[in-house]
Amino acid sequence: MKLGYLAFKNMISKPLNLVLSLLLLSLSVSLVTFVLQLSQQLSGQLHKNIAPFDMVVGAKGSPLQLVLSSVLHVDFPTGNIKLKDAALLQKHPFVETAIPVSYGDNYKGFRILGTEVEYLNQYGAELSEGTLYKEAFEVIAGSKVAQQLDLQVGDRFISAHGFATADSQEHDEHPFIVKGILASTGTVVDQLLITTVESIWEAHEHDGNNDPDKDKGHKEVGGEHESEKEITALLVTFKSPLGMVQLPRFINENTPMQAALPGFEVQRLVGLLGSGAKTVNGIALAILLVSALSIFISLLKTIRERKQELALLRTYGLRTVQLLGLALMEGLFLAVLGFVSGWLLGRLGIWGISQYMQISYGYGLQIMAPERFEFFLFGLVIVLTIIATLLASRSIFKLNVAETLSDV
Amino acid sequence: MVETSNLSYAYKNGTVMAFPNIGLSPGEHLLVIGPSGVGKTTLLYLMAGLLPPLKGTVAIDGTKLNALSRKALDRFRGEQIGLIFQQYHFIKSLNVSENLLLRQSFPLKGHDKKRGYELTERLGLAEHLDKKVTALSQGQQQRLGIALGLIHRPKIIFADEPTSNLDDENCAKVIDLLKEEAKICQSSLLIITHDQRVKSHFQNHILL
């Protein structure tokens, strides 16, 4: 019989102690790994999605909302801007590219974005089948949209007002036709239906008048005259860093439009998330210490209760270090079991929240293999357990076999 | 097999107890008898190398215990000495057969399953091997205690008050069992007791 078997048997002989210690340990480990994964993946996604653009220009309102709606495609737009105002910017010497985006419709909850082909280039999106759109009402689908709605090249569909399926009203006259499907990019493009800006205008020209109670997100984008045409926002990259310094201020002070810097806004958002994550990590760390304490107390208790058994083992010829090894193995079994179950629980949490986010925002998270920090955390748990075990095992060194087994 | 010379032990309270010399040849049985409180159990633990003597030496099978390192002493005890306790001590998280297996596993590597079967068969424990030790009756526990003292074929068996809680009938049974098993494994047997009933079963006794 191996000592490990005895340690295992000893561990499971007190199921209540075992469950309590395991629960605490796995709770803390799952909290830490969950929060870490969540904040890492969220901030990674955010940065990846804003990366192509230096500045976004839209209607006045909250700059964060502007970035969220026009770049990240999660919130409602702040409003529309006049195409002629936006056109002035496109010619500015500091501006490298300025891509107009226009919104207003969805198909089964996926947003239809009117923009130029250049938008796709900025994200490095490539067609996996079909061709790019050329005419109004031709559309290409992001990989996730195509997959979830089972869209094929040549399919036709009718769009609906607004951004959510529930509160929308269908446009009857203008079916969209799917011309192409994009390969996965791992960015927001995957969950968009992309068409020309003109499609959005034309879809709204006809029902603009008999639609007085528009839903919250929907702003009328149509216009009979060229001068009144509107877009939702303009996505800008700069030629020189000077643009970053001068243009936002200029736009905000001198035009009816608002300029927001995605990098800055996202940093603010991540900062908010980060402080939340820090709080949760602090709580998790406290639970980790409590769980180390609980391992310590439960081992201390079992070593006291098993004093006679330990003395018996000494008469069997086991050395003091072997008894210590027995206690260490018991503690380490617990630590490994607790860590692994906690880690799995954390990943399960990521999977769960990913399902939810997928439905609500179209963003999914990935189940990642163990990361460097998690190996570090594992090491920390092991070290804490060893310390707790050694502290609890001090009495083993002072064990008086004769006194423990008989009244000498 | 066992030779003690001028053994004495100092208790924590300062009392010093001196013991008569004991000599036991291989295969011989010896009864050490004396009233409570004269240090019988102390003597047993001194001879098993579990208590350090104040003075004197213990030699088992020619090996002087105080000449061994701690590690060697632990190993020697595990291999050569079998202890049977007045109160039974088992590992409660293991079942009967696992307890027996454990006794054979340290410090010896490998174990003799056949020996386990024979012994438990003779001791009437064969059908209880899968039971928890706490589920055994008093008598069964006693016999398991004896089995644990014998299973690794020790050169010398030390039994501490093996009959103190038993009625006359069972007392005779246990003594016979001990003598028989000691004979089968060719071990020397040293029993320490205050139980006068045991006296008639042994030719050799020492009075403390």
Side-chain angles (χ1 to χ4, degrees):
Chain A
M1 185 185 291
K2 294 267 184 333
L3 265 188
Y5 180 75
L6 180 59
F8 175 72
K9 279 286 197 175
N10 277 343
M11 180 180 79
I12 58 172
S13 69
K14 301 260 184 230
L16 222 59
N17 277 349
L18 176 68
V19 166
L20 180 69
S21 300
L22 274 184
L23 211 66
L24 281 168
L25 185 56
S26 63
L27 190 65
S28 62
V29 170
S30 63
L31 266 181
V32 175
T33 55
F34 172 78
V35 169
L36 188 83
Q37 280 289 310
L38 188 65
S39 57
Q40 254 181 14
Q41 290 202 31
L42 275 185
S43 100
Q45 288 235 14
L46 287 174
H47 283 110
K48 203 168 161 188
N49 284 327
I50 62 160
F53 306 111
D54 297 327
M55 178 176 79
V56 47
V57 181
K60 284 212 188 293
S62 148
L64 182 59
Q65 191 186 347
L66 179 59
V67 170
L68 285 175
S69 65
S70 298
V71 186
L72 299 170
H73 309 282
V74 284
D75 206 351
F76 298 109
T78 46
N80 286 319
I81 54 173
K82 295 251 183 296
L83 186 61
K84 64 172 177 21
D85 293 339
L88 288 174
L89 265 177
Q90 283 172 312
K91 289 168 202 144
H92 197 281
F94 289 158
V95 170
E96 170 95 46
T97 54
I99 303 166
V101 288
S102 235
Y103 276 126
D105 287 351
N106 79 84
Y107 174 55
K108 293 194 175 163
F110 288 99
R111 294 184 179 206
I112 300 172
L113 179 72
T115 186
E116 291 167 1
V117 175
E118 179 58 25
Y119 180 83
L120 300 175
N121 299 339
Q122 293 290 336
Y123 280 105
E126 281 170 5
L127 283 169
S128 70
E129 48 184 303
T131 56
L132 289 172
Y133 53 78
K134 290 187 196 79
E135 314 268 321
F137 296 104
E138 291 180 350
V139 66
I140 54 176
S143 62
K144 252 181 209 159
V145 187
Q147 192 199 333
Q148 294 210 350
L149 301 184
D150 197 21
L151 286 179
Q152 313 285 341
V153 173
D155 282 359
R156 282 161 195 278
F157 63 84
I158 307 277
S159 68
H161 268 310
F163 296 122
T165 34
D167 59 346
S168 50
Q169 172 193 348
E170 287 191 356
H171 299 272
D172 307 323
E173 303 87 354
H174 297 284
F176 282 89
I177 176 161
V178 179
K179 279 300 205 182
I181 289 165
L182 292 171
S184 175
T185 59
T187 64
V188 277
V189 177
D190 293 351
Q191 50 235 6
L192 291 175
L193 288 156
I194 298 165
T195 183
T196 60
V197 183
E198 288 78 18
S199 314
I200 308 288
W201 287 333
E202 284 185 31
H204 290 252
E205 263 175 18
H206 299 271
D207 47 32
N209 299 330
N210 53 19
D211 190 18
D213 54 344
K214 297 161 208 144
D215 50 66
K216 194 183 162 205
H218 180 68
K219 301 287 183 202
E220 195 53 40
V221 193
E224 294 296 323
H225 307 289
E226 192 67 25
S227 61
E228 283 174 23
K229 279 192 171 155
E230 291 185 324
I231 56 170
T232 311
L234 198 64
L235 304 173
V236 179
T237 59
F238 292 123
K239 260 185 202 146
S240 88
L242 265 182
M244 189 88 83
V245 183
Q246 294 188 352
L247 269 182
R249 199 158 153 203
F250 172 80
I251 293 165
N252 286 337
E253 284 175 4
N254 301 314
T255 70
M257 302 182 289
Q258 168 190 226
L261 302 173
F264 179 73
E265 296 304 326
V266 162
Q267 203 159 20
R268 242 169 27 121
L269 190 65
V270 170
L272 283 172
L273 284 176
S275 64
K278 260 184 206 146
T279 312
V280 179
N281 275 338
I283 295 169
L285 195 71
I287 301 176
L288 187 66
L289 289 177
V290 173
S291 89
L293 194 69
S294 117
I295 291 176
F296 168 71
I297 290 170
S298 105
L299 278 171
L300 196 68
K301 239 178 78 192
T302 53
I303 285 170
R304 258 182 215 159
E305 284 166 5
R306 291 203 201 110
K307 213 173 152 189
Q308 291 197 341
E309 297 191 1
L310 293 173
L312 184 70
L313 289 172
R314 291 275 289 123
T315 73
Y316 286 5
L318 262 75
R319 286 177 287 138
T320 305
V321 282
Q322 285 175 297
L323 298 188
L324 190 67
L326 192 68
L328 267 179
M329 271 192 265
E330 195 175 334
L332 288 177
F333 272 150
L334 222 145
V336 172
L337 206 62
F339 184 89
V340 171
S341 61
W343 187 87
L344 288 174
L345 201 68
R347 285 300 190 271
L348 190 72
I350 290 288
W351 180 81
I353 205 151
S354 173
Q355 300 300 306
Y356 168 75
M357 283 172 59
Q358 190 73 256
I359 292 164
S360 307
Y361 303 105
Y363 282 88
L365 301 172
Q366 280 171 299
I367 304 297
M368 308 286 267
E371 289 186 14
R372 208 150 140 208
F373 173 80
E374 293 170 337
F375 284 113
F376 167 76
L377 187 67
F378 181 70
L380 181 71
V381 168
I382 296 295
V383 167
L384 273 178
T385 308
I386 290 176
I387 292 173
T389 311
L390 288 180
L391 284 177
S393 308
R394 278 174 311 167
S395 63
I396 288 179
F397 293 103
K398 291 183 274 175
L399 187 67
N400 184 327
V401 180
E403 251 174 41
T404 310
L405 292 178
S406 311
D407 303 320
V408 176
Chain B
M1 178 55 59
V2 182
E3 283 298 331
T4 73
S5 72
N6 304 320
L7 265 187
S8 63
Y9 179 73
Y11 290 94
K12 271 183 197 156
N13 60 15
T15 326
V16 173
M17 178 93 62
F19 299 97
N21 290 347
I22 288 171
L24 188 62
S25 340
E28 203 184 352
H29 299 175
L30 176 69
L31 188 68
V32 177
I33 200 160
S36 304
V38 294
K40 292 191 303 291
T41 303
T42 306
L43 177 61
L44 188 137
Y45 281 104
L46 283 171
M47 289 190 288
L50 284 163
L51 282 178
L54 178 68
K55 275 182 192 153
T57 55
V58 178
I60 289 176
D61 199 18
T63 306
K64 283 197 171 157
L65 296 190
N66 56 351
L68 296 173
S69 68
R70 273 185 69 121
K71 190 177 163 182
L73 178 61
D74 284 335
R75 191 181 170 87
F76 184 82
R77 181 191 314 121
E79 285 174 357
Q80 312 293 357
I81 297 175
L83 282 167
I84 296 166
F85 302 95
Q86 181 177 4
Q87 299 129 341
Y88 330 119
H89 297 292
F90 311 112
I91 308 294
K92 290 189 193 70
S93 59
L94 301 178
N95 66 22
V96 173
S97 70
E98 287 169 338
N99 262 283
L100 288 165
L101 210 59
L102 178 72
R103 182 59 187 100
Q104 287 180 293
S105 305
F106 300 99
L108 304 153
K109 297 292 170 207
H111 35 72
D112 187 349
K113 275 198 175 161
K114 202 172 140 223
R115 163 102 180 118
Y117 285 129
E118 284 170 6
L119 188 61
T120 49
E121 195 70 46
R122 279 203 300 280
L123 292 174
L125 288 170
E127 62 262 48
H128 305 294
L129 287 177
D130 293 332
K131 276 191 183 167
K132 283 186 156 188
V133 286
T134 45
L136 295 178
S137 73
Q138 189 87 352
Q140 288 161 348
Q141 289 194 359
Q142 176 120 32
R143 278 174 280 154
L144 178 58
I146 292 171
L148 284 171
L150 294 169
I151 192 158
H152 56 297
R153 299 178 191 276
K155 291 222 172 79
I156 168 85
I157 301 161
F158 292 119
D160 185 13
E161 303 276 9
T163 57
S164 60
N165 303 319
L166 305 175
D167 56 31
D168 290 354
E169 191 190 337
N170 280 310
C171 168
K173 261 192 191 171
V174 164
I175 295 297
D176 286 344
L177 203 63
L178 272 174
K179 283 164 80 172
E180 197 188 320
E181 286 301 330
K183 207 172 152 192
I184 291 170
C185 20
Q186 296 167 327
S187 310
S188 307
L189 175 64
L190 194 149
I191 296 178
I192 280 183
T193 190
H194 72 274
D195 191 344
Q196 297 292 334
R197 296 174 297 179
V198 185
K199 220 170 165 180
S200 56
H201 294 273
F202 290 88
Q203 293 170 340
N204 300 334
H205 15 91
I206 288 180
L207 240 75
L208 272 191

